[in-house]
mmCIF file of all heavy atoms in Angstrom:
data_model
loop_
_atom_site.group_PDB
_atom_site.id
_atom_site.type_symbol
_atom_site.label_atom_id
_atom_site.label_comp_id
_atom_site.label_asym_id
_atom_site.label_seq_id
_atom_site.Cartn_x
_atom_site.Cartn_y
_atom_site.Cartn_z
ATOM 1 N N MET A 1 11.785 -40.052 56.868
ATOM 2 C CA MET A 1 11.418 -41.197 56.390
ATOM 3 C C MET A 1 11.242 -41.276 54.869
ATOM 4 O O MET A 1 11.695 -42.162 54.168
ATOM 5 C CB MET A 1 10.129 -41.583 56.976
ATOM 6 C CG MET A 1 9.586 -42.911 56.553
ATOM 7 S SD MET A 1 8.024 -43.461 57.458
ATOM 8 C CE MET A 1 6.862 -43.701 56.100
ATOM 9 N N TYR A 2 10.542 -40.307 54.254
ATOM 10 C CA TYR A 2 10.365 -40.155 52.856
ATOM 11 C C TYR A 2 11.617 -39.878 52.125
ATOM 12 O O TYR A 2 11.902 -40.449 50.978
ATOM 13 C CB TYR A 2 9.285 -39.138 52.550
ATOM 14 C CG TYR A 2 8.004 -39.329 53.136
ATOM 15 C CD1 TYR A 2 7.342 -38.495 54.004
ATOM 16 C CD2 TYR A 2 7.370 -40.550 52.653
ATOM 17 C CE1 TYR A 2 6.166 -38.827 54.536
ATOM 18 C CE2 TYR A 2 6.115 -40.874 53.253
ATOM 19 C CZ TYR A 2 5.546 -39.995 54.145
ATOM 20 O OH TYR A 2 4.298 -40.227 54.702
ATOM 21 N N ALA A 3 12.425 -39.158 52.655
ATOM 22 C CA ALA A 3 13.881 -38.992 52.084
ATOM 23 C C ALA A 3 14.684 -40.167 52.061
ATOM 24 O O ALA A 3 15.306 -40.499 51.116
ATOM 25 C CB ALA A 3 14.625 -37.812 52.901
ATOM 26 N N ALA A 4 14.657 -41.048 53.151
ATOM 27 C CA ALA A 4 15.337 -42.306 53.214
ATOM 28 C C ALA A 4 14.761 -43.247 52.161
ATOM 29 O O ALA A 4 15.522 -43.944 51.372
ATOM 30 C CB ALA A 4 15.295 -42.884 54.512
ATOM 31 N N LEU A 5 13.446 -43.242 52.052
ATOM 32 C CA LEU A 5 12.811 -44.142 50.978
ATOM 33 C C LEU A 5 13.160 -43.732 49.593
ATOM 34 O O LEU A 5 13.580 -44.491 48.728
ATOM 35 C CB LEU A 5 11.278 -44.166 51.079
ATOM 36 C CG LEU A 5 10.439 -44.892 50.098
ATOM 37 C CD1 LEU A 5 10.856 -46.324 50.231
ATOM 38 C CD2 LEU A 5 9.058 -44.676 50.336
ATOM 39 N N TRP A 6 13.222 -42.303 49.346
ATOM 40 C CA TRP A 6 13.694 -41.901 48.099
ATOM 41 C C TRP A 6 15.045 -42.135 47.682
ATOM 42 O O TRP A 6 15.373 -42.647 46.571
ATOM 43 C CB TRP A 6 13.435 -40.273 48.176
ATOM 44 C CG TRP A 6 13.689 -39.631 46.771
ATOM 45 C CD1 TRP A 6 14.660 -38.952 46.328
ATOM 46 C CD2 TRP A 6 12.741 -39.664 45.637
ATOM 47 N NE1 TRP A 6 14.516 -38.534 44.979
ATOM 48 C CE2 TRP A 6 13.297 -38.934 44.519
ATOM 49 C CE3 TRP A 6 11.488 -40.300 45.464
ATOM 50 C CZ2 TRP A 6 12.606 -38.835 43.389
ATOM 51 C CZ3 TRP A 6 10.912 -40.095 44.201
ATOM 52 C CH2 TRP A 6 11.341 -39.334 43.199
ATOM 53 N N ARG A 7 15.984 -42.195 48.650
ATOM 54 C CA ARG A 7 17.385 -42.489 48.471
ATOM 55 C C ARG A 7 17.526 -43.912 48.062
ATOM 56 O O ARG A 7 18.557 -44.462 47.464
ATOM 57 C CB ARG A 7 18.268 -42.139 49.493
ATOM 58 C CG ARG A 7 18.491 -40.588 49.492
ATOM 59 C CD ARG A 7 19.505 -40.248 50.605
ATOM 60 N NE ARG A 7 19.204 -40.614 51.971
ATOM 61 C CZ ARG A 7 18.602 -39.767 52.863
ATOM 62 N NH1 ARG A 7 18.259 -38.609 52.490
ATOM 63 N NH2 ARG A 7 18.347 -40.208 54.011
ATOM 64 N N LEU A 8 16.692 -44.859 48.751
ATOM 65 C CA LEU A 8 16.826 -46.308 48.630
ATOM 66 C C LEU A 8 16.360 -46.778 47.220
ATOM 67 O O LEU A 8 16.793 -47.883 46.688
ATOM 68 C CB LEU A 8 16.072 -46.978 49.621
ATOM 69 C CG LEU A 8 16.671 -46.958 50.970
ATOM 70 C CD1 LEU A 8 15.740 -47.701 52.039
ATOM 71 C CD2 LEU A 8 17.941 -47.727 51.031
ATOM 72 N N LEU A 9 15.495 -46.014 46.648
ATOM 73 C CA LEU A 9 14.933 -46.450 45.275
ATOM 74 C C LEU A 9 15.990 -46.282 44.166
ATOM 75 O O LEU A 9 16.716 -45.204 44.082
ATOM 76 C CB LEU A 9 13.694 -45.637 44.905
ATOM 77 C CG LEU A 9 12.529 -46.051 45.862
ATOM 78 C CD1 LEU A 9 11.351 -45.215 45.503
ATOM 79 C CD2 LEU A 9 12.127 -47.406 45.771
ATOM 80 N N PRO A 10 16.081 -47.208 43.268
ATOM 81 C CA PRO A 10 17.104 -47.157 42.174
ATOM 82 C C PRO A 10 16.589 -46.311 40.975
ATOM 83 O O PRO A 10 15.234 -46.029 40.819
ATOM 84 C CB PRO A 10 17.203 -48.575 41.688
ATOM 85 C CG PRO A 10 15.848 -49.135 41.998
ATOM 86 C CD PRO A 10 15.346 -48.487 43.213
ATOM 87 N N GLY A 11 17.480 -45.773 40.207
ATOM 88 C CA GLY A 11 17.094 -45.122 38.933
ATOM 89 C C GLY A 11 16.864 -43.570 39.064
ATOM 90 O O GLY A 11 17.054 -43.014 40.143
ATOM 91 N N PRO A 12 16.592 -42.893 37.898
ATOM 92 C CA PRO A 12 16.425 -41.513 37.931
ATOM 93 C C PRO A 12 15.030 -41.102 38.601
ATOM 94 O O PRO A 12 14.317 -42.079 38.930
ATOM 95 C CB PRO A 12 16.321 -41.152 36.434
ATOM 96 C CG PRO A 12 15.961 -42.461 35.749
ATOM 97 C CD PRO A 12 16.512 -43.651 36.600
ATOM 98 N N TRP A 13 14.706 -39.939 38.776
ATOM 99 C CA TRP A 13 13.560 -39.526 39.459
ATOM 100 C C TRP A 13 12.278 -40.148 38.859
ATOM 101 O O TRP A 13 11.370 -40.309 39.636
ATOM 102 C CB TRP A 13 13.504 -37.988 39.501
ATOM 103 C CG TRP A 13 13.207 -37.337 38.223
ATOM 104 C CD1 TRP A 13 14.143 -36.910 37.407
ATOM 105 C CD2 TRP A 13 11.878 -37.010 37.676
ATOM 106 N NE1 TRP A 13 13.443 -36.279 36.385
ATOM 107 C CE2 TRP A 13 12.051 -36.364 36.501
ATOM 108 C CE3 TRP A 13 10.622 -37.125 38.160
ATOM 109 C CZ2 TRP A 13 11.131 -36.005 35.709
ATOM 110 C CZ3 TRP A 13 9.720 -36.793 37.301
ATOM 111 C CH2 TRP A 13 9.867 -36.214 36.212
ATOM 112 N N TRP A 14 12.134 -40.146 37.473
ATOM 113 C CA TRP A 14 10.911 -40.619 37.000
ATOM 114 C C TRP A 14 10.735 -42.073 37.270
ATOM 115 O O TRP A 14 9.429 -42.509 37.400
ATOM 116 C CB TRP A 14 10.860 -40.287 35.503
ATOM 117 C CG TRP A 14 11.922 -40.911 34.639
ATOM 118 C CD1 TRP A 14 13.110 -40.449 34.374
ATOM 119 C CD2 TRP A 14 11.892 -42.083 34.090
ATOM 120 N NE1 TRP A 14 13.813 -41.284 33.540
ATOM 121 C CE2 TRP A 14 13.048 -42.304 33.364
ATOM 122 C CE3 TRP A 14 10.938 -43.210 33.822
ATOM 123 C CZ2 TRP A 14 13.351 -43.463 32.579
ATOM 124 C CZ3 TRP A 14 11.139 -44.225 33.166
ATOM 125 C CH2 TRP A 14 12.337 -44.419 32.511
ATOM 126 N N VAL A 15 11.703 -42.865 37.257
ATOM 127 C CA VAL A 15 11.649 -44.248 37.660
ATOM 128 C C VAL A 15 11.162 -44.406 39.206
ATOM 129 O O VAL A 15 10.256 -45.272 39.518
ATOM 130 C CB VAL A 15 12.960 -45.068 37.451
ATOM 131 C CG1 VAL A 15 12.743 -46.575 37.913
ATOM 132 C CG2 VAL A 15 13.328 -44.986 35.921
ATOM 133 N N ARG A 16 11.796 -43.629 39.897
ATOM 134 C CA ARG A 16 11.311 -43.628 41.398
ATOM 135 C C ARG A 16 9.951 -43.263 41.616
ATOM 136 O O ARG A 16 9.130 -43.930 42.403
ATOM 137 C CB ARG A 16 12.225 -42.655 42.225
ATOM 138 C CG ARG A 16 13.740 -43.022 42.206
ATOM 139 C CD ARG A 16 14.543 -41.911 42.921
ATOM 140 N NE ARG A 16 15.939 -42.215 42.921
ATOM 141 C CZ ARG A 16 16.878 -41.637 43.528
ATOM 142 N NH1 ARG A 16 16.562 -40.481 44.169
ATOM 143 N NH2 ARG A 16 18.100 -41.961 43.432
ATOM 144 N N VAL A 17 9.423 -42.283 40.856
ATOM 145 C CA VAL A 17 7.932 -41.864 40.954
ATOM 146 C C VAL A 17 7.126 -43.037 40.514
ATOM 147 O O VAL A 17 6.088 -43.287 41.096
ATOM 148 C CB VAL A 17 7.800 -40.621 40.092
ATOM 149 C CG1 VAL A 17 6.265 -40.150 40.027
ATOM 150 C CG2 VAL A 17 8.469 -39.402 40.813
ATOM 151 N N LEU A 18 7.489 -43.618 39.400
ATOM 152 C CA LEU A 18 6.680 -44.795 38.887
ATOM 153 C C LEU A 18 6.728 -45.927 39.875
ATOM 154 O O LEU A 18 5.610 -46.540 40.177
ATOM 155 C CB LEU A 18 7.337 -45.197 37.577
ATOM 156 C CG LEU A 18 6.601 -46.409 36.903
ATOM 157 C CD1 LEU A 18 5.234 -45.934 36.415
ATOM 158 C CD2 LEU A 18 7.390 -46.786 35.597
ATOM 159 N N ILE A 19 7.763 -46.252 40.558
ATOM 160 C CA ILE A 19 7.858 -47.308 41.489
ATOM 161 C C ILE A 19 6.937 -46.999 42.700
ATOM 162 O O ILE A 19 6.206 -47.803 43.178
ATOM 163 C CB ILE A 19 9.418 -47.546 42.020
ATOM 164 C CG1 ILE A 19 10.121 -48.131 40.939
ATOM 165 C CG2 ILE A 19 9.392 -48.351 43.199
ATOM 166 C CD1 ILE A 19 11.610 -48.297 41.155
ATOM 167 N N LEU A 20 7.045 -45.709 43.128
ATOM 168 C CA LEU A 20 6.230 -45.281 44.288
ATOM 169 C C LEU A 20 4.705 -45.180 43.929
ATOM 170 O O LEU A 20 3.824 -45.676 44.722
ATOM 171 C CB LEU A 20 6.572 -43.938 44.734
ATOM 172 C CG LEU A 20 7.941 -43.806 45.507
ATOM 173 C CD1 LEU A 20 8.262 -42.361 45.637
ATOM 174 C CD2 LEU A 20 7.905 -44.566 46.804
ATOM 175 N N LEU A 21 4.302 -44.998 42.715
ATOM 176 C CA LEU A 21 2.937 -45.098 42.335
ATOM 177 C C LEU A 21 2.377 -46.488 42.262
ATOM 178 O O LEU A 21 1.300 -46.817 42.695
ATOM 179 C CB LEU A 21 2.818 -44.390 40.875
ATOM 180 C CG LEU A 21 2.764 -42.933 40.898
ATOM 181 C CD1 LEU A 21 2.792 -42.426 39.530
ATOM 182 C CD2 LEU A 21 1.703 -42.331 41.731
ATOM 183 N N VAL A 22 3.273 -47.440 41.730
ATOM 184 C CA VAL A 22 2.899 -48.771 41.740
ATOM 185 C C VAL A 22 2.807 -49.420 43.262
ATOM 186 O O VAL A 22 1.924 -50.138 43.516
ATOM 187 C CB VAL A 22 3.980 -49.633 40.931
ATOM 188 C CG1 VAL A 22 3.811 -51.158 41.102
ATOM 189 C CG2 VAL A 22 3.876 -49.295 39.467
ATOM 190 N N LEU A 23 3.780 -49.030 44.097
ATOM 191 C CA LEU A 23 3.648 -49.358 45.442
ATOM 192 C C LEU A 23 2.443 -48.853 46.163
ATOM 193 O O LEU A 23 1.723 -49.578 46.917
ATOM 194 C CB LEU A 23 4.858 -49.035 46.217
ATOM 195 C CG LEU A 23 6.148 -49.756 45.912
ATOM 196 C CD1 LEU A 23 7.362 -49.166 46.576
ATOM 197 C CD2 LEU A 23 6.009 -51.250 46.311
ATOM 198 N N ALA A 24 2.067 -47.637 45.866
ATOM 199 C CA ALA A 24 0.935 -47.079 46.530
ATOM 200 C C ALA A 24 -0.365 -47.758 46.018
ATOM 201 O O ALA A 24 -1.378 -47.959 46.787
ATOM 202 C CB ALA A 24 0.835 -45.598 46.197
ATOM 203 N N ALA A 25 -0.461 -48.061 44.692
ATOM 204 C CA ALA A 25 -1.542 -48.847 44.086
ATOM 205 C C ALA A 25 -1.684 -50.160 44.792
ATOM 206 O O ALA A 25 -2.819 -50.668 44.968
ATOM 207 C CB ALA A 25 -1.410 -48.878 42.602
ATOM 208 N N ALA A 26 -0.655 -50.906 44.871
ATOM 209 C CA ALA A 26 -0.596 -52.176 45.588
ATOM 210 C C ALA A 26 -0.995 -52.116 47.006
ATOM 211 O O ALA A 26 -1.768 -52.995 47.467
ATOM 212 C CB ALA A 26 0.819 -52.827 45.574
ATOM 213 N N VAL A 27 -0.645 -51.089 47.739
ATOM 214 C CA VAL A 27 -1.062 -50.959 49.129
ATOM 215 C C VAL A 27 -2.712 -50.746 49.157
ATOM 216 O O VAL A 27 -3.349 -51.416 49.939
ATOM 217 C CB VAL A 27 -0.384 -49.921 49.850
ATOM 218 C CG1 VAL A 27 -0.995 -49.422 51.141
ATOM 219 C CG2 VAL A 27 1.093 -50.273 50.012
ATOM 220 N N LEU A 28 -3.043 -49.797 48.313
ATOM 221 C CA LEU A 28 -4.554 -49.616 48.275
ATOM 222 C C LEU A 28 -5.456 -50.794 47.799
ATOM 223 O O LEU A 28 -6.458 -51.089 48.434
ATOM 224 C CB LEU A 28 -4.906 -48.410 47.244
ATOM 225 C CG LEU A 28 -4.480 -46.972 47.809
ATOM 226 C CD1 LEU A 28 -4.589 -46.035 46.709
ATOM 227 C CD2 LEU A 28 -5.289 -46.660 49.065
ATOM 228 N N TYR A 29 -4.864 -51.551 46.858
ATOM 229 C CA TYR A 29 -5.523 -52.775 46.451
ATOM 230 C C TYR A 29 -5.591 -53.908 47.692
ATOM 231 O O TYR A 29 -6.628 -54.403 47.836
ATOM 232 C CB TYR A 29 -4.725 -53.385 45.314
ATOM 233 C CG TYR A 29 -5.281 -54.760 44.768
ATOM 234 C CD1 TYR A 29 -6.321 -54.778 43.943
ATOM 235 C CD2 TYR A 29 -4.941 -55.910 45.225
ATOM 236 C CE1 TYR A 29 -7.014 -55.924 43.541
ATOM 237 C CE2 TYR A 29 -5.490 -57.233 44.976
ATOM 238 C CZ TYR A 29 -6.413 -57.082 44.055
ATOM 239 O OH TYR A 29 -6.984 -58.335 43.592
ATOM 240 N N ALA A 30 -4.424 -53.912 48.397
ATOM 241 C CA ALA A 30 -4.514 -54.972 49.525
ATOM 242 C C ALA A 30 -5.456 -54.355 50.459
ATOM 243 O O ALA A 30 -6.142 -55.164 51.167
ATOM 244 C CB ALA A 30 -3.079 -54.936 50.138
ATOM 245 N N LEU A 31 -5.553 -53.092 50.847
ATOM 246 C CA LEU A 31 -6.517 -52.626 51.818
ATOM 247 C C LEU A 31 -7.789 -52.859 51.377
ATOM 248 O O LEU A 31 -8.705 -53.392 52.164
ATOM 249 C CB LEU A 31 -6.191 -51.093 52.089
ATOM 250 C CG LEU A 31 -4.968 -50.765 52.940
ATOM 251 C CD1 LEU A 31 -4.831 -49.248 52.895
ATOM 252 C CD2 LEU A 31 -5.155 -51.178 54.296
ATOM 253 N N PHE A 32 -8.209 -52.463 50.252
ATOM 254 C CA PHE A 32 -9.719 -52.658 49.845
ATOM 255 C C PHE A 32 -10.157 -53.993 49.612
ATOM 256 O O PHE A 32 -11.312 -54.347 49.732
ATOM 257 C CB PHE A 32 -9.856 -51.767 48.463
ATOM 258 C CG PHE A 32 -10.135 -50.412 48.669
ATOM 259 C CD1 PHE A 32 -9.186 -49.457 48.392
ATOM 260 C CD2 PHE A 32 -11.435 -49.904 49.167
ATOM 261 C CE1 PHE A 32 -9.324 -48.225 48.634
ATOM 262 C CE2 PHE A 32 -11.614 -48.522 49.408
ATOM 263 C CZ PHE A 32 -10.574 -47.617 49.116
ATOM 264 N N PHE A 33 -9.286 -54.914 49.153
ATOM 265 C CA PHE A 33 -9.712 -56.363 48.822
ATOM 266 C C PHE A 33 -9.396 -57.343 49.959
ATOM 267 O O PHE A 33 -9.829 -58.460 49.810
ATOM 268 C CB PHE A 33 -9.177 -56.764 47.519
ATOM 269 C CG PHE A 33 -9.836 -56.012 46.354
ATOM 270 C CD1 PHE A 33 -9.130 -54.893 45.716
ATOM 271 C CD2 PHE A 33 -11.094 -56.362 45.895
ATOM 272 C CE1 PHE A 33 -9.745 -54.225 44.686
ATOM 273 C CE2 PHE A 33 -11.624 -55.700 44.965
ATOM 274 C CZ PHE A 33 -11.019 -54.553 44.351
ATOM 275 N N TYR A 34 -8.431 -57.037 50.910
ATOM 276 C CA TYR A 34 -8.123 -57.916 51.908
ATOM 277 C C TYR A 34 -8.383 -57.400 53.289
ATOM 278 O O TYR A 34 -8.996 -58.121 54.199
ATOM 279 C CB TYR A 34 -6.725 -58.453 51.695
ATOM 280 C CG TYR A 34 -6.413 -59.148 50.455
ATOM 281 C CD1 TYR A 34 -5.752 -58.579 49.351
ATOM 282 C CD2 TYR A 34 -6.906 -60.448 50.276
ATOM 283 C CE1 TYR A 34 -5.571 -59.230 48.207
ATOM 284 C CE2 TYR A 34 -6.675 -61.127 49.092
ATOM 285 C CZ TYR A 34 -6.046 -60.500 48.065
ATOM 286 O OH TYR A 34 -5.894 -61.169 46.910
ATOM 287 N N VAL A 35 -7.769 -56.288 53.789
ATOM 288 C CA VAL A 35 -7.910 -55.744 54.971
ATOM 289 C C VAL A 35 -9.247 -55.253 55.435
ATOM 290 O O VAL A 35 -9.763 -55.658 56.501
ATOM 291 C CB VAL A 35 -6.828 -54.593 55.211
ATOM 292 C CG1 VAL A 35 -6.973 -54.085 56.614
ATOM 293 C CG2 VAL A 35 -5.467 -55.202 54.995
ATOM 294 N N PHE A 36 -9.923 -54.386 54.622
ATOM 295 C CA PHE A 36 -11.188 -53.824 54.985
ATOM 296 C C PHE A 36 -12.262 -54.952 54.998
ATOM 297 O O PHE A 36 -13.023 -54.831 55.915
ATOM 298 C CB PHE A 36 -11.531 -52.741 54.028
ATOM 299 C CG PHE A 36 -10.696 -51.533 54.077
ATOM 300 C CD1 PHE A 36 -10.627 -50.669 52.999
ATOM 301 C CD2 PHE A 36 -9.959 -51.246 55.156
ATOM 302 C CE1 PHE A 36 -9.800 -49.545 53.014
ATOM 303 C CE2 PHE A 36 -9.221 -50.058 55.280
ATOM 304 C CZ PHE A 36 -9.124 -49.268 54.222
ATOM 305 N N PRO A 37 -12.341 -55.892 54.006
ATOM 306 C CA PRO A 37 -13.422 -56.848 54.272
ATOM 307 C C PRO A 37 -13.116 -57.905 55.405
ATOM 308 O O PRO A 37 -14.107 -58.285 56.008
ATOM 309 C CB PRO A 37 -13.235 -57.773 52.951
ATOM 310 C CG PRO A 37 -12.637 -56.882 51.972
ATOM 311 C CD PRO A 37 -11.727 -55.919 52.650
ATOM 312 N N TRP A 38 -11.876 -58.035 55.782
ATOM 313 C CA TRP A 38 -11.536 -58.928 56.920
ATOM 314 C C TRP A 38 -11.994 -58.227 58.285
ATOM 315 O O TRP A 38 -12.494 -58.853 59.238
ATOM 316 C CB TRP A 38 -10.037 -59.160 57.016
ATOM 317 C CG TRP A 38 -9.491 -59.822 58.118
ATOM 318 C CD1 TRP A 38 -9.832 -61.214 58.562
ATOM 319 C CD2 TRP A 38 -8.748 -59.337 59.294
ATOM 320 N NE1 TRP A 38 -9.268 -61.451 59.704
ATOM 321 C CE2 TRP A 38 -8.590 -60.385 60.209
ATOM 322 C CE3 TRP A 38 -8.278 -58.019 59.447
ATOM 323 C CZ2 TRP A 38 -7.844 -60.124 61.263
ATOM 324 C CZ3 TRP A 38 -7.505 -57.928 60.679
ATOM 325 C CH2 TRP A 38 -7.363 -59.035 61.515
ATOM 326 N N ILE A 39 -11.898 -56.780 58.299
ATOM 327 C CA ILE A 39 -12.174 -56.052 59.538
ATOM 328 C C ILE A 39 -13.669 -55.586 59.546
ATOM 329 O O ILE A 39 -14.141 -55.247 60.592
ATOM 330 C CB ILE A 39 -11.150 -54.904 59.619
ATOM 331 C CG1 ILE A 39 -11.037 -54.521 61.105
ATOM 332 C CG2 ILE A 39 -11.680 -53.773 58.885
ATOM 333 C CD1 ILE A 39 -9.896 -53.611 61.478
ATOM 334 N N SER A 40 -14.324 -55.624 58.514
ATOM 335 C CA SER A 40 -15.782 -55.062 58.449
ATOM 336 C C SER A 40 -16.688 -55.865 59.398
ATOM 337 O O SER A 40 -17.641 -55.174 59.976
ATOM 338 C CB SER A 40 -16.357 -55.132 57.006
ATOM 339 O OG SER A 40 -16.482 -56.450 56.602
ATOM 340 N N PRO A 41 -16.615 -57.106 59.587
ATOM 341 C CA PRO A 41 -17.533 -57.704 60.713
ATOM 342 C C PRO A 41 -17.299 -57.064 62.039
ATOM 343 O O PRO A 41 -18.157 -57.164 62.859
ATOM 344 C CB PRO A 41 -17.120 -58.992 60.630
ATOM 345 C CG PRO A 41 -16.554 -59.353 59.389
ATOM 346 C CD PRO A 41 -15.761 -58.127 59.023
ATOM 347 N N TYR A 42 -16.137 -56.546 62.409
ATOM 348 C CA TYR A 42 -15.779 -56.094 63.691
ATOM 349 C C TYR A 42 -16.234 -54.630 63.825
ATOM 350 O O TYR A 42 -16.277 -54.180 65.056
ATOM 351 C CB TYR A 42 -14.426 -56.294 64.008
ATOM 352 C CG TYR A 42 -13.805 -57.663 63.910
ATOM 353 C CD1 TYR A 42 -13.213 -58.126 62.845
ATOM 354 C CD2 TYR A 42 -14.325 -58.615 64.703
ATOM 355 C CE1 TYR A 42 -12.642 -59.441 62.772
ATOM 356 C CE2 TYR A 42 -13.993 -59.967 64.676
ATOM 357 C CZ TYR A 42 -13.177 -60.452 63.648
ATOM 358 O OH TYR A 42 -12.753 -61.722 63.438
ATOM 359 N N VAL A 43 -16.426 -53.937 62.817
ATOM 360 C CA VAL A 43 -16.802 -52.510 62.866
ATOM 361 C C VAL A 43 -18.172 -52.352 62.285
ATOM 362 O O VAL A 43 -18.261 -52.355 61.026
ATOM 363 C CB VAL A 43 -15.765 -51.567 62.142
ATOM 364 C CG1 VAL A 43 -16.149 -50.147 62.303
ATOM 365 C CG2 VAL A 43 -14.387 -51.825 62.812
ATOM 366 N N LEU A 44 -19.193 -52.208 63.039
ATOM 367 C CA LEU A 44 -20.523 -52.046 62.497
ATOM 368 C C LEU A 44 -20.868 -50.524 62.289
ATOM 369 O O LEU A 44 -20.495 -49.710 63.171
ATOM 370 C CB LEU A 44 -21.591 -52.635 63.482
ATOM 371 C CG LEU A 44 -21.336 -54.175 63.507
ATOM 372 C CD1 LEU A 44 -22.347 -54.758 64.668
ATOM 373 C CD2 LEU A 44 -21.587 -54.815 62.336
ATOM 374 N N PRO A 45 -21.401 -50.051 61.256
ATOM 375 C CA PRO A 45 -21.669 -48.667 61.012
ATOM 376 C C PRO A 45 -22.712 -48.121 62.044
ATOM 377 O O PRO A 45 -22.601 -46.837 62.416
ATOM 378 C CB PRO A 45 -22.414 -48.508 59.625
ATOM 379 C CG PRO A 45 -22.007 -49.880 58.954
ATOM 380 C CD PRO A 45 -21.755 -50.968 60.065
ATOM 381 N N ALA A 46 -23.498 -48.845 62.551
ATOM 382 C CA ALA A 46 -24.490 -48.247 63.645
ATOM 383 C C ALA A 46 -23.722 -48.013 64.925
ATOM 384 O O ALA A 46 -24.184 -47.201 65.729
ATOM 385 C CB ALA A 46 -25.605 -49.367 63.860
ATOM 386 N N GLU A 47 -22.510 -48.539 65.164
ATOM 387 C CA GLU A 47 -21.865 -48.278 66.399
ATOM 388 C C GLU A 47 -20.895 -47.107 66.308
ATOM 389 O O GLU A 47 -20.396 -46.718 67.393
ATOM 390 C CB GLU A 47 -21.040 -49.527 66.792
ATOM 391 C CG GLU A 47 -21.860 -50.783 67.076
ATOM 392 C CD GLU A 47 -21.008 -51.920 67.501
ATOM 393 O OE1 GLU A 47 -19.739 -51.873 67.553
ATOM 394 O OE2 GLU A 47 -21.569 -53.056 67.641
ATOM 395 N N VAL A 48 -20.774 -46.573 65.248
ATOM 396 C CA VAL A 48 -19.962 -45.307 64.970
ATOM 397 C C VAL A 48 -20.567 -44.179 65.516
ATOM 398 O O VAL A 48 -21.713 -43.785 65.157
ATOM 399 C CB VAL A 48 -19.469 -45.135 63.550
ATOM 400 C CG1 VAL A 48 -18.707 -44.028 63.403
ATOM 401 C CG2 VAL A 48 -18.705 -46.399 63.137
ATOM 402 N N ASP A 49 -19.885 -43.354 66.501
ATOM 403 C CA ASP A 49 -20.577 -42.213 67.107
ATOM 404 C C ASP A 49 -19.522 -41.052 66.899
ATOM 405 O O ASP A 49 -18.273 -41.166 67.479
ATOM 406 C CB ASP A 49 -20.878 -42.497 68.512
ATOM 407 C CG ASP A 49 -21.634 -41.371 69.066
ATOM 408 O OD1 ASP A 49 -22.232 -40.608 68.372
ATOM 409 O OD2 ASP A 49 -21.782 -41.342 70.401
ATOM 410 N N LEU A 50 -19.954 -40.015 66.373
ATOM 411 C CA LEU A 50 -18.913 -38.926 66.075
ATOM 412 C C LEU A 50 -19.258 -37.713 67.175
ATOM 413 O O LEU A 50 -18.804 -36.646 66.890
ATOM 414 C CB LEU A 50 -19.196 -38.316 64.740
ATOM 415 C CG LEU A 50 -18.928 -39.388 63.545
ATOM 416 C CD1 LEU A 50 -19.099 -38.759 62.274
ATOM 417 C CD2 LEU A 50 -17.350 -39.791 63.641
ATOM 418 N N GLU A 51 -19.764 -38.013 68.191
ATOM 419 C CA GLU A 51 -19.885 -36.929 69.272
ATOM 420 C C GLU A 51 -18.653 -36.644 69.905
ATOM 421 O O GLU A 51 -17.883 -37.326 70.342
ATOM 422 C CB GLU A 51 -21.032 -37.266 70.185
ATOM 423 C CG GLU A 51 -22.373 -37.377 69.422
ATOM 424 C CD GLU A 51 -23.519 -37.729 70.398
ATOM 425 O OE1 GLU A 51 -23.326 -37.710 71.645
ATOM 426 O OE2 GLU A 51 -24.604 -38.028 69.948
#
C-alpha cells in the first residue's frame, strides 16, 4: 500500500515527503477538530475498562 502511494505521488523524493507530511497533518487536524469531538459524547471515560 505504501509503495503504491509512493509511486502515485509526483516529483522527486523530497516533494513526495513534503506532500505526505502535509497530508498527515491534515488528517490529524481533521481527527482532532472534527472526528474526536463528534464521537466524544458516545465514549465516556468512566466506561472504559482495561481488564
Side-chain angles (χ1 to χ4, degrees):
M1 179 177 125
Y2 297 115
L5 177 63
W6 188 255
R7 284 191 300 267
L8 286 175
L9 292 174
W13 70 269
W14 60 271
V15 173
R16 293 175 184 184
V17 170
L18 184 63
I19 292 171
L20 288 174
L21 287 174
V22 169
L23 287 174
V27 167
L28 285 174
Y29 178 85
L31 284 173
F32 276 105
F33 290 101
Y34 295 106
V35 176
F36 294 155
W38 175 70
I39 205 168
S40 68
Y42 303 109
V43 179
L44 299 174
E47 294 180 3
V48 176
D49 191 12
L50 297 176
E51 291 180 14

